[in-house]
Amino acid sequence: MAVLGSTLLSLCFGMLLISASSADYPDRCMSFSTVFPTTGPGIKINSNIYESNRIYTISVPVDSSTNSVVLRAMDTNNNSSIGLWQRADQYCNGSVLYQRLDTREGFFKANWQSPRFTNITVEIQAFVINVNRVAMFSSLKLENQAMITTSPSMTSMTSMTSMTSMTRPTTTRSPTTNRFPTTAKTATSTLTTTKSFANRIFLSPITDAIQILLVFLTSKLLF
């Protein structure tokens, strides 16, 4: 019975050790001893504008002492890991590890696919680890597309409005009160002249006939 109890105790203890190892497994990607902010060029990305369901190419500067590269994409709103890294050598809890076999200095490239969410703030983080397990840290935030699409259009609309108002010709109109009285006076004067001329033409034969009649009556009375 003592042997059986000892065996069961050993098995339980072994199961606890396995469970502890499994719980620590996701953190093995961040197994470096010291972290320093990078003093050289930081990471680069093919587009710094965030779009959902898009594959981005991240370029990390490395040198001959670089042993591995740890990458992760974080939503800074809730500090959670997002997206999917492609062809990593090790996937951990929120980060991935890429082993580097090429010792030449240059850029290490990896592909990351963004999630379907749009209302997030993404930060790409890179840890460049050398053979002494010292990591150099650099990061890059992606800009939200919704925040930068309205500004150029508003600026363009304002510029077009200003240019239109500056180039529009100015038309000076004469007051209405000055134009119509002049026309009325001209029409009245023309009408008066026409009537006077017509009266002269109509009354001239009558006047001549009266004068002839008076001369005829005068001659009859005298002779």
Side-chain angles (χ1 to χ4, degrees):
M1 293 294 295
V3 175
L4 181 59
S6 177
T7 304
L8 291 175
L9 183 62
S10 299
L11 289 175
C12 292
F13 184 71
M15 292 296 294
L16 289 174
L17 289 178
I18 293 174
S19 300
S21 299
S22 299
D24 293 336
Y25 173 77
D27 297 329
R28 285 190 297 173
C29 289
M30 312 289 284
S31 60
F32 39 82
S33 58
T34 311
V35 181
F36 294 102
T38 183
T39 56
I43 60 177
K44 298 180 180 180
I45 194 167
N46 59 338
S47 175
N48 62 345
I49 307 300
Y50 175 77
E51 297 179 19
S52 60
N53 288 325
R54 176 176 177 177
I55 296 179
Y56 292 85
T57 300
I58 289 83
S59 301
V60 183
V62 294
D63 56 25
S64 58
S65 65
T66 302
N67 184 34
S68 59
V69 176
V70 174
L71 296 172
R72 63 181 180 180
M74 306 294 295
D75 179 8
T76 57
N77 294 329
N78 52 21
N79 200 32
S80 61
S81 178
I82 54 175
L84 177 65
W85 294 96
Q86 299 180 357
R87 302 181 66 181
D89 295 314
Q90 187 173 350
Y91 291 87
C92 302
N93 184 19
S95 62
V96 293
L97 184 143
Y98 292 90
Q99 296 289 347
R100 186 170 180 266
L101 302 178
D102 189 359
T103 58
R104 292 176 297 179
E105 183 176 352
F107 285 92
F108 173 81
K109 295 184 177 181
N111 293 327
W112 173 74
Q113 183 176 354
S114 61
R116 66 179 185 275
F117 309 113
T118 56
N119 57 341
I120 57 177
T121 302
V122 179
E123 180 178 287
I124 305 297
Q125 300 177 352
F127 299 84
V128 179
I129 307 170
N130 61 18
V131 293
N132 298 320
R133 295 177 58 197
V134 176
M136 303 299 293
F137 173 78
S138 61
S139 63
L140 178 65
K141 280 188 176 182
L142 303 184
E143 297 181 10
N144 196 325
Q145 188 177 16
M147 297 177 61
I148 63 175
T149 53
T150 56
S151 179
S153 60
M154 292 297 294
T155 303
S156 177
M157 183 65 67
T158 304
S159 301
M160 290 297 294
T161 304
S162 300
M163 292 179 62
T164 303
S165 61
M166 291 176 63
T167 58
R168 183 178 296 165
T170 303
T171 303
T172 303
R173 295 183 178 180
S174 300
T176 306
T177 56
N178 294 334
R179 184 172 69 252
F180 289 101
T182 304
T183 306
K185 289 180 181 179
T186 304
T188 304
S189 177
T190 304
L191 181 60
T192 303
T193 304
T194 304
K195 288 183 178 181
S196 178
F197 180 71
N199 289 336
R200 287 199 302 269
I201 295 176
F202 180 74
L203 294 176
S204 180
I206 298 175
T207 305
D208 293 341
I210 293 173
Q211 290 178 356
I212 295 172
L213 181 60
L214 289 174
V215 172
F216 176 75
L217 293 175
T218 303
S219 61
K220 286 292 187 178
L221 292 174
L222 292 176
F223 303 101

